[in-house]
Amino acid sequence: MKKWLSKIFRRWGTTLTVQVEGEDMSIRGVFQPVTSVGKQSVLRQWMDLGQYSAHQYLYVGGFPLGEADFLSLGGKNFLPLRCEPIYLENEILCYWALCAPIGEE
């Protein structure tokens, strides 16, 4: 299953630039923002990748964002707030991370 997920991230994932200890690295993964407006933007929401509040972004991919100083996409920088491994039978399949735009949270 880990090979299958890696192929999905490589083929359909978004390319992100991650800075780790001053060095830039290119990774691929799913990166999904909250896009709601109005009253819903201050409430927690359920999206395809889990529950989170407005002005935060979810990442699912093979790189542990907990090791990153920050990541960049489309000229914007994001700070990883939390990163958790996703396990299947004691094996790490991928990582889930919650990120916020730098300067907004």
Side-chain angles (χ1 to χ4, degrees), residues 7-35:
K7 286 180 184 180
I8 289 173
F9 296 141
R10 278 195 312 270
R11 185 164 183 183
W12 291 295
T14 300
T15 301
L16 304 161
T17 302
V18 178
Q19 189 173 86
V20 180
E21 296 179 3
E23 291 188 34
D24 287 345
M25 296 174 41
S26 182
I27 64 168
R28 292 184 67 88
V30 178
F31 197 70
Q32 181 179 354
V34 175
T35 57

Side-chain angles (χ1 to χ4, degrees), residues 54-65:
H55 305 293
Q56 294 179 339
Y57 294 71
L58 286 176
Y59 160 85
V60 176
F63 184 81
L65 283 186

Side-chain angles (χ1 to χ4, degrees), residues 23-89:
E23 291 188 34
D24 287 345
M25 296 174 41
S26 182
I27 64 168
R28 292 184 67 88
V30 178
F31 197 70
Q32 181 179 354
V34 175
T35 57
S36 67
V37 295
K39 184 178 178 182
Q40 295 87 355
S41 68
V42 297
L43 303 174
R44 292 196 174 275
Q45 299 181 28
W46 284 96
M47 300 297 282
D48 294 339
L49 300 178
Q51 180 187 16
Y52 53 96
S53 60
H55 305 293
Q56 294 179 339
Y57 294 71
L58 286 176
Y59 160 85
V60 176
F63 184 81
L65 283 186
E67 298 175 5
D69 300 326
F70 66 90
L71 65 130
S72 301
L73 175 65
K76 291 180 80 174
N77 294 326
F78 301 87
L79 182 66
L81 303 175
R82 180 178 179 173
C83 182
E84 300 288 336
I86 296 174
Y87 290 93
L88 180 64
E89 292 190 4

